[in-house]
Amino acid sequence: MRRPVHARPDLGQLEVFLKVAETGSFAAAARLLGISQPAVSQSISKLEEIYGADLFTRRRGMPVSLTQIGRAILPKAKLVLFLVDAQIRRATTIAQSLAGTLTIGFTCHLGHGILGSGLADFRAEHPDIDMRFVESSASDLYRQLNERLIDIMFAPFLPDLSSSSSEQEGLWEEPLFAVLPLDHPMASKESMQWEDISALTILLQAHEGDMSPYRALAAHMANRHFDSSMHDVSSASLLDMVYMGLGATIVCASTANIRDDLAFRPIADNEAKCSIEALWRRDDRNPLRHRLLAFMRSHAVGR
């Protein structure tokens, strides 16, 4: 057996009710709402039919006052309208790219430099945007991007992926540093050359296919042969391995000097830089991603 559908007040009726309660006058409520006094009376009458009782005590020549049931309804009516207004404001800010959720991926340690300061400034300017961060290897971030788990990723040493389903843009360049144990003979140098690097065992992250930084470093070294050792570990673990004396590694400036138990030496040769690139899906239409990317472009130019 179907239950009877009970009549419910609409938002307009509740707003009229609140204005009458606030002003103590049907006429004053009508003026504030920009409607006629009969329209106010009609809304209150419909509410009283729904609740089955008078909401106001009416005396000729006197302000109207809430009845007991009217006083019981008042706080709930205020709450309903507050929640609706808040929901509308939230929806409006999302539509205007001022609020919502943005999931950002970046490789280990990249948050120490320009990216970190840019994200902090972006957060300060857009407090209603919920930024969620994912730190992982470039290949894993690329997988998550294609699976739509993240909206945008930032990483160095990326191959050309512009022919795939992604858009790619270099935002800024950072100098490259060699990382050595403090007791390594070359740690006494103020800076290093690619020729020095070629004499070292270079520890690198093992990534899938073209996502390995090996090719990018080989291009920097004019394809000079160098001994590389690939490891399925994080960038932070590579630094631990350098500390253990297992070899050296190459990092960008964001990572330089984050530890005082290692020697970070700038590579002084020409073009000893890496591009920090942004990658996002070509079919992505997230307005918040557009807003962040535009912000990071201007932030990088200002650094």
Side-chain angles (χ1 to χ4, degrees), residues 116-267:
S117 62
L119 292 176
D121 291 346
F122 183 79
R123 179 72 177 89
E125 288 193 16
H126 305 283
D128 290 329
I129 294 178
D130 179 18
M131 294 196 298
R132 300 177 182 175
F133 300 107
V134 177
E135 182 184 73
S136 191
S137 65
S139 57
D140 185 56
L141 291 175
Y142 187 53
R143 174 190 61 78
Q144 293 192 53
L145 187 71
N146 287 321
E147 293 177 3
R148 302 181 188 276
L149 301 176
I150 61 176
D151 297 298
I152 189 170
M153 62 175 281
F154 298 90
F157 301 122
L158 288 179
D160 182 6
L161 299 166
S162 57
S163 61
S164 67
S165 60
S166 301
E167 293 283 355
Q168 185 173 1
E169 180 179 341
L171 296 177
W172 66 86
E173 288 189 332
E174 294 188 6
L176 291 175
F177 284 70
V179 189
L180 304 159
L182 288 175
D183 59 358
H184 193 282
M186 289 190 185
S188 61
K189 292 175 172 283
E190 292 186 1
S191 64
M192 301 184 68
Q193 307 291 321
W194 285 123
E195 185 176 354
D196 299 324
I197 305 297
S198 65
L200 302 171
T201 298
I202 305 299
L203 306 175
L204 298 174
Q205 284 182 293
H207 293 318
E208 297 177 4
D210 291 338
M211 298 300 285
S212 170
Y214 179 90
R215 291 185 180 183
L217 289 176
H220 278 302
M221 298 176 68
N223 293 312
R224 181 186 286 111
H225 172 74
F226 67 101
D227 183 18
S228 64
S229 180
M230 303 290 183
H231 302 273
D232 189 13
V233 297
S234 68
S235 299
S237 293
L238 281 184
L239 296 183
D240 290 334
M241 294 169 68
V242 172
Y243 177 77
M244 290 186 290
L246 302 181
T249 193
I250 307 295
V251 300
C252 52
S254 294
T255 308
N257 301 317
I258 64 169
R259 291 176 56 160
D260 57 11
D261 56 354
L262 295 171
F264 292 83
R265 299 294 180 259
I267 302 173

Side-chain angles (χ1 to χ4, degrees), residues 48 60 68 83-84 97 127 142 156 164 239 256 259 285:
E48 290 177 333
R60 186 177 296 276
Q68 183 175 358
L83 293 175
V84 170
S97 304
Y142 187 53
S164 67
L239 296 183
R259 291 176 56 160
R285 295 296 181 268

